[in-house]
Amino acid sequence: MRGNPVQTESLMGGRGHGDKLSRKADAAIVALLAHPTMPQAAKAAGVSESTLWRWLQRDDFRRKYREAQDNVFSEALGLLKGASTEAVNCLRRNLTCGLVSAEVQAAKTILDYTLRTRDMFDLQSLLDAIERAKEETQRTNA
């Protein structure tokens, strides 16, 4: 006996009623990205909180939601990269703006971030070395 198409078709696409469900699921993902709470997201998507919660338990829904989150994050990083260049240029201008307090603050900020970045690169190099040593040990013991 065949089940209801809404139940048997994939949440993220299908035929007939599955398409309606897919549109609702897409709307729910957009709402989850746009609203800070599940009740607000459910209301914006036009579904109940329990439906939204159930969808969040599904691998296919979570995977699509995660992809949407990753896309939003990637776009935000792109914007930050552009703003970072402007921020560094601002700090460089403030190094010689003639206002001693602004020059000192710019210098401290540049040095602080330079040292933090160096520490992060050093840490990454250490992690890479540990990973290589672990892989070598595993090859030797295998």
Side-chain angles (χ1 to χ4, degrees), residues 96-115:
T96 58
C97 70
L99 183 59
V100 174
S101 62
E103 291 174 351
V104 169
Q105 185 60 44
K108 287 171 74 172
T109 301
I110 289 170
L111 289 172
D112 182 45
Y113 283 111
T114 301
L115 293 174

Side-chain angles (χ1 to χ4, degrees), residues 29-30 32-34 56 61-77:
I29 288 171
V30 170
L32 282 166
L33 294 171
L56 284 164
F61 185 87
R62 280 196 318 269
R63 184 172 44 256
K64 193 165 183 181
Y65 179 40
R66 179 61 184 194
E67 288 172 7
Q69 288 175 316
D70 289 347
N71 288 338
V72 168
F73 186 70
S74 292
E75 290 175 22
L77 281 180

Side-chain angles (χ1 to χ4, degrees), residues 110-130:
I110 289 170
L111 289 172
D112 182 45
Y113 283 111
T114 301
L115 293 174
R116 284 187 196 183
T117 302
R118 181 178 172 195
D119 288 346
M120 286 189 334
F121 278 113
D122 289 348
L123 184 57
Q124 185 61 52
S125 295
L126 179 60
L127 289 172
D128 291 344
I130 291 169

Side-chain angles (χ1 to χ4, degrees), residues 15-67:
R15 299 182 317 264
H17 295 294
D19 288 339
K20 181 178 178 186
L21 187 56
S22 179
R23 287 189 303 273
K24 285 282 192 179
D26 288 342
I29 288 171
V30 170
L32 282 166
L33 294 171
H35 297 279
T37 67
M38 282 205 22
Q40 291 173 344
K43 183 177 180 182
V47 299
S48 69
E49 289 179 51
S50 61
T51 295
L52 185 55
W53 184 86
R54 256 191 335 275
W55 285 350
L56 284 164
Q57 306 314 303
R58 294 182 59 135
D59 289 338
D60 54 351
F61 185 87
R62 280 196 318 269
R63 184 172 44 256
K64 193 165 183 181
Y65 179 40
R66 179 61 184 194
E67 288 172 7

